[in-house]
Amino acid sequence: MKKRYGKVFAYFLCNFSLMAVSCLILGIFYMVSNEIGVGIYCLIYGIIGAFITFLMTKRLNSRTPKEERVATWFRAWKLGVKIALNITLKIIGFIFHCSIGFDTSIPEEDTVATSRGEWYEKRKYVYDENGNQYEVGRSGGYIQDKSGNWIKVERDDVGEPYIGSGSEKTWLK
């Protein structure tokens, strides 16, 4: 058995034949449901698809003996379906891989800093109520004074930061 069509030919034969059938059915459906304008466009697309399918079938039949024409047409159509499904599944796989592979969510520290209003997440230096400058540590839970001592940052009930304890609280800005 000699092959009388290529993969691209089979793919387009399948696509145009499916387009012709589906657009004709859809056009009739829209005409019945009183969407005349959309129905006419669907019927036109269906007729165009049927015409292209007819031309492709005529070309395929011109290269095929009479006794093999129907079988050759269905083999070409079946190959076109396989190619279309293969392309579709690869595109879906690529989209799925990209959606799983790339994390587009906001990092946890940004949401926490925004939601709790933590002043030390984005700053390098903070100041107390007396104007003294402190360097903020990497974790944000400690500050370093000018002498190099690390001091733990506490919070009151409202969430305002301070250093010290008891009645000797120094508020930070």
Side-chain angles (χ1 to χ4, degrees):
M1 183 180 305
K2 183 179 174 186
K3 193 165 189 178
R4 294 171 177 87
Y5 53 87
K7 290 180 179 180
V8 175
F9 183 88
Y11 176 73
F12 282 117
L13 178 69
C14 170
N15 283 348
F16 283 116
S17 64
L18 287 177
M19 181 183 103
V21 171
S22 61
C23 284
L24 289 173
I25 291 172
L26 196 62
I28 293 170
F29 173 75
Y30 276 120
M31 295 291 257
V32 170
S33 64
N34 292 331
E35 293 288 335
I36 305 298
V38 177
I40 290 173
Y41 282 122
C42 288
L43 288 175
I44 290 171
Y45 289 140
I47 291 169
I48 291 171
F51 181 69
I52 293 173
T53 302
F54 171 75
L55 291 177
M56 293 181 81
T57 302
K58 194 156 178 69
R59 174 161 167 74
L60 184 64
N61 288 343
S62 70
R63 304 174 74 193
T64 309
K66 282 188 175 190
E67 59 274 359
E68 295 181 17
R69 287 183 180 169
V70 175
T72 302
W73 191 91
F74 279 110
R75 273 196 314 275
W77 194 84
K78 184 178 165 185
L79 177 64
V81 169
K82 286 181 182 179
I83 293 169
L85 285 175
N86 192 4
I87 291 171
T88 303
L89 291 176
K90 285 184 179 181
I91 290 172
I92 289 172
F94 179 73
I95 291 171
F96 182 73
H97 174 72
C98 288
S99 65
I100 298 298
F102 300 122
D103 184 19
T104 58
S105 63
I106 299 172
E108 181 66 28
E109 58 268 17
D110 287 349
T111 56
V112 170
T114 306
S115 63
R116 287 193 283 176
E118 297 194 14
W119 53 272
Y120 51 78
E121 289 291 336
K122 301 290 182 195
R123 298 184 182 181
K124 184 169 177 78
Y125 298 103
V126 293
Y127 298 91
D128 64 7
E129 55 193 19
N130 299 327
N132 298 325
Q133 180 179 0
Y134 299 94
E135 185 176 347
V136 179
R138 277 192 263 178
S139 68
Y142 291 89
I143 57 175
Q144 186 178 25
D145 61 8
K146 291 191 183 209
S147 62
N149 298 326
W150 288 97
I151 306 166
K152 182 165 176 53
V153 176
E154 303 290 336
R155 293 193 168 267
D156 65 358
D157 296 336
V158 183
E160 294 295 322
Y162 67 89
I163 54 174
S165 60
S167 62
E168 299 178 14
K169 294 179 181 173
T170 306
W171 298 99
L172 300 172
K173 304 176 195 173

